Amino acid sequence: MRSASRRPVVIIGAGPVGVTAALLLARHGVRSLLLERHQDVYPLPRAVVVDDEVRRILQSVGIHEEFAALARPARGLRLLNAQHRVITEFPRSLQGHHGFPQTSMFDQPELERLLRAALARRPESELWGGVEVVSVTQSGTGDTDGSDGSAGPVRVTFRRGGSDEEEHLWADAVLGCDGAGSLTRDAIGAVWEDLHFEESWRVIDVRTTLPVRTWEGAEQICCPTQPATFMRVSEDRYRWEFRLADGESLDGPGGRERLRELVAPWVGPSSDASPDDEFEVIRQAQYTFRARLADRWRRGRVFLLGDAAHLTPPFIGQGLCAGLRDAHNLAWKLARVLQQGARDALLDTYEHERKPHARHVIRVAVAVGWAMTGGQDRGAALRRAVVGAACRIPGVTAAVSGDLSPALTAGPLIRRRPRLTGRVLAGTFCPQPWIERNGRRMRLDDVLGTSFAVLTTAPPTPQVTAVATALGAPTFHAGGLGDGGTLAAWLARGRADAVLLRPDRVVMDTVPAGTSDFTGTATWASLLHAGRGTADARLVSPPRSTTP
């Protein structure tokens, strides 16, 4: 067995989640090595939808402009009955909270090529293709999760180029981005929690020049006998998903004719000359849609991300989005532990914040799946009726049409005060308006930088200044950013004079209106170890002032 050198971070799997994690770590100066079974990007389409929060993540890794050139904004989601009449509609905005269209359609291989091109430009990251990981073992954890600092280095054993010879290397941390059949999940002893949805569907990607009836958003056909999903992905590319009856197939001599019958409600008839040329099936795949959560996402310095940690039915287009959120949540925390001496307990907040969030999104997807199919038991029609009626309740449509991503739950990094008046800001994302900076029009995040940041509507008090200094957080007055008042209004609705933003742009803490200090410094300062000596002292016990 050959031995390789030790690496700060090894990422198993170079799909979108793994490469995004590497790029986010690189922004913080953390070196990583990606190990991938395949030599190149998988060429066929899979994920086709991202939301505005994920567009913001792509902005943070520097590919949002290139992605915008290949993405297509979509209008939202419609639930239709078996006769294709609209039950309800969830519209999506072209300018969401994060500064991008709330729904964007795209081709996954194109996104992956953009991510890999960005990776090739980062000296902090390296990708080895044609590598099969054999095992992941960790020293020093015993029966603990490693949050007490007992986690030792992680050994990754692998083979490359089809060789039988095993090699290994050591890593300070390992990210398992290796999909639903994750070896990493097995390595940390995690098992699936079943969230009670499992159906077999046929996914079909088509390129056609035929006229296609579409409202430029996703359509879900709510029918117990023939549920379906339809969406336009690009100029001439479309996706259908059908739940086929037992024994029904779209393969063989009669399969193409049956497929044409299934898509007939959307696609006009072909000419007699060349029907195959006018309707090209790019890909067909049989999938079992499942709803599952891993019971643990971390052991010591080994983490699960993406499909290794959670599986969701695709009905609200959040599968890939959830994985990229995992990477965004974990990367800055891991960087702070590896580079700035933060306690390993900081890494506990990854699962604490992401797992409830993923569970919520999966449950929404399952609810939409029930609305579509209802199951096959006697309660099916009743469940569909209840969901349909609920969608008509004032406010429900607006809620689903808005941000599908709920606020993070309260915890060590999320200081949430009881709601008295106004909106609770902690745990939510700061909006991202366009701003005017030095005569240039820019997105907010491009000005805030890669670390913590403070936004305020009042002159910062000595306490706020001390916190900002200790964290290396630049301070911006919301009234001077040239954003048309968006940020000042957002702070006013939350009854806050200032907010402390994490590197992932989640609000970590607030200065309530009329006060002088952040509310939860003593809790999160002990995790971050933002500085040493006097800097830490200023975080935990900032100097007092008579300034209100």
Side-chain angles (χ1 to χ4, degrees):
M1 176 183 289
R2 289 193 294 172
S3 177
S5 61
R6 182 163 172 168
R7 303 297 179 108
V9 179
V10 169
I11 301 172
I12 303 174
V17 176
V19 177
T20 298
L23 290 169
L24 290 167
L25 288 169
R27 292 181 80 219
H28 297 286
V30 177
R31 299 184 65 84
S32 65
L33 170 65
L34 292 101
L35 304 179
E36 168 58 46
R37 287 186 305 150
H38 303 290
Q39 289 286 359
D40 202 356
V41 170
Y42 185 71
L44 297 178
R46 285 161 291 162
V48 293
V49 180
V50 293
D51 60 20
D52 55 326
E53 181 182 336
V54 169
R55 290 284 298 266
R56 192 173 185 175
I57 296 172
L58 298 181
Q59 175 192 352
S60 71
V61 299
I63 66 166
H64 61 292
E65 292 182 356
E66 295 96 328
F67 183 77
L70 60 86
R72 185 185 66 80
R75 292 177 58 185
L77 169 67
R78 275 181 174 175
L79 301 185
L80 311 180
N81 64 16
Q83 291 74 43
H84 286 234
R85 289 194 288 269
V86 177
I87 298 172
T88 191
E89 181 177 307
F90 304 111
R92 305 288 278 167
S93 170
L94 292 178
Q95 183 75 11
H97 184 77
H98 299 276
F100 295 97
Q102 287 186 303
T103 300
S104 298
M105 311 298 296
F106 71 102
D107 182 44
Q108 181 170 334
E110 293 182 334
L111 169 61
E112 291 198 47
R113 282 189 281 270
L114 290 180
L115 288 168
R116 289 204 181 189
L119 190 76
R121 297 190 292 267
R122 299 299 310 222
E124 304 89 346
S125 304
E126 190 176 359
L127 169 61
W128 292 357
V131 172
E132 177 191 5
V133 175
V134 176
S135 66
V136 176
T137 55
Q138 186 168 203
S139 62
T141 56
D143 293 328
T144 74
D145 61 6
S147 61
D148 59 357
S150 61
V154 186
R155 189 173 81 163
V156 179
T157 304
F158 60 94
R159 306 186 190 101
R160 49 179 156 184
S163 170
D164 291 333
E165 182 181 8
E166 292 187 351
E167 304 177 52
H168 74 264
L169 53 82
W170 294 92
D172 295 321
V174 170
L175 309 187
C177 305
D178 46 347
S182 171
L183 173 145
T184 315
R185 188 176 58 249
D186 294 338
I188 69 170
V191 296
W192 284 126
E193 175 190 352
D194 188 356
L195 299 183
H196 309 296
F197 189 95
E198 185 168 326
E199 292 186 349
S200 181
W201 285 61
R202 179 65 66 95
V203 178
I204 302 140
D205 288 280
V206 168
R207 179 177 288 111
T208 182
T209 57
L210 296 171
V212 178
R213 292 177 287 276
T214 174
W215 78 295
E216 300 301 332
E219 294 180 346
Q220 311 277 22
I221 309 304
C222 303
C223 173
T225 58
Q226 191 62 80
T229 301
F230 164 72
M231 64 198 77
R232 183 165 81 90
V233 178
S234 63
E235 188 64 32
D236 62 348
R237 267 204 49 224
Y238 304 86
R239 170 170 289 187
W240 282 271
E241 298 168 357
F242 297 103
R243 193 187 70 180
L244 303 180
D246 292 342
E248 186 177 10
S249 174
L250 299 181
D251 301 318
R256 188 172 182 84
E257 186 58 35
R258 176 58 179 145
L259 175 58
R260 292 306 305 270
E261 292 176 3
L262 290 171
V263 303
W266 295 276
V267 182
S270 62
S271 66
D272 296 332
S274 54
D276 289 346
D277 292 340
E278 293 178 329
F279 194 84
E280 175 192 359
V281 177
I282 302 171
R283 169 180 176 260
Q284 285 196 59
Q286 195 76 18
Y287 283 97
T288 300
F289 295 160
R290 294 186 173 94
R292 291 180 175 178
L293 272 175
D295 66 337
R296 65 186 305 166
W297 293 24
R298 175 196 175 203
R299 183 175 180 82
R301 290 285 185 84
V302 182
F303 303 85
L304 303 180
L305 294 81
D307 286 354
H310 41 72
L311 297 174
T312 180
F315 305 123
I316 58 172
Q318 288 290 302
L320 177 60
C321 295
L324 296 186
R325 288 189 182 101
D326 295 342
H328 203 210
N329 185 286
L330 177 60
W332 73 268
K333 299 172 183 177
L334 185 56
R336 196 156 192 96
V337 169
L338 295 179
Q339 292 194 315
Q340 296 176 266
R343 293 169 49 202
D344 265 40
L346 174 63
L347 303 174
D348 291 338
T349 65
Y350 166 60
E351 180 176 341
H352 176 84
E353 293 178 352
R354 285 294 305 137
K355 191 174 183 179
H357 194 282
R359 185 186 298 274
H360 168 85
V361 170
I362 293 171
R363 283 176 169 168
V364 173
V366 168
V368 173
W370 273 3
M372 291 175 63
T373 68
Q376 299 300 313
D377 58 21
R378 292 182 178 181
L382 176 61
R383 284 198 297 272
R384 288 194 304 278
V386 168
V387 173
C391 289
R392 296 185 179 92
I393 297 174
V396 171
T397 297
V400 177
S401 300
D403 194 347
L404 290 171
S405 181
L408 298 182
T409 55
L413 295 181
I414 303 295
R415 179 67 173 176
R416 303 189 73 177
R417 299 179 296 118
R419 186 196 299 263
L420 300 175
T421 57
R423 179 184 177 189
V424 175
L425 297 183
T428 68
F429 277 93
C430 171
Q432 183 179 210
W434 287 96
I435 67 172
E436 294 291 335
R437 187 80 169 175
N438 299 324
R440 295 175 55 202
R441 189 168 182 261
M442 307 173 67
R443 297 182 188 274
L444 176 66
D445 288 0
D446 294 332
V447 174
L448 297 183
T450 62
S451 186
F452 292 86
V454 173
L455 285 177
T456 180
T457 55
T461 64
Q463 294 93 323
V464 170
T465 299
V467 168
T469 300
L471 287 170
T475 300
F476 299 91
H477 194 284
L481 289 172
D483 68 333
T486 299
L487 293 169
W490 171 69
L491 288 165
R493 288 194 298 272
R495 295 185 60 81
D497 282 345
V499 291
L500 177 59
L501 304 180
R502 308 185 331 184
D504 57 5
R505 300 308 161 224
V506 170
V507 177
M508 187 163 78
D509 206 345
T510 63
V511 177
T515 65
S516 61
D517 199 359
F518 291 106
T519 60
T521 314
T523 302
W524 46 256
S526 63
L527 289 180
L528 294 176
H529 284 291
R532 293 291 183 264
T534 56
D536 280 341
R538 284 199 302 268
L539 276 172
V540 177
S541 301
R544 295 298 162 190
S545 169
T546 58
T547 304

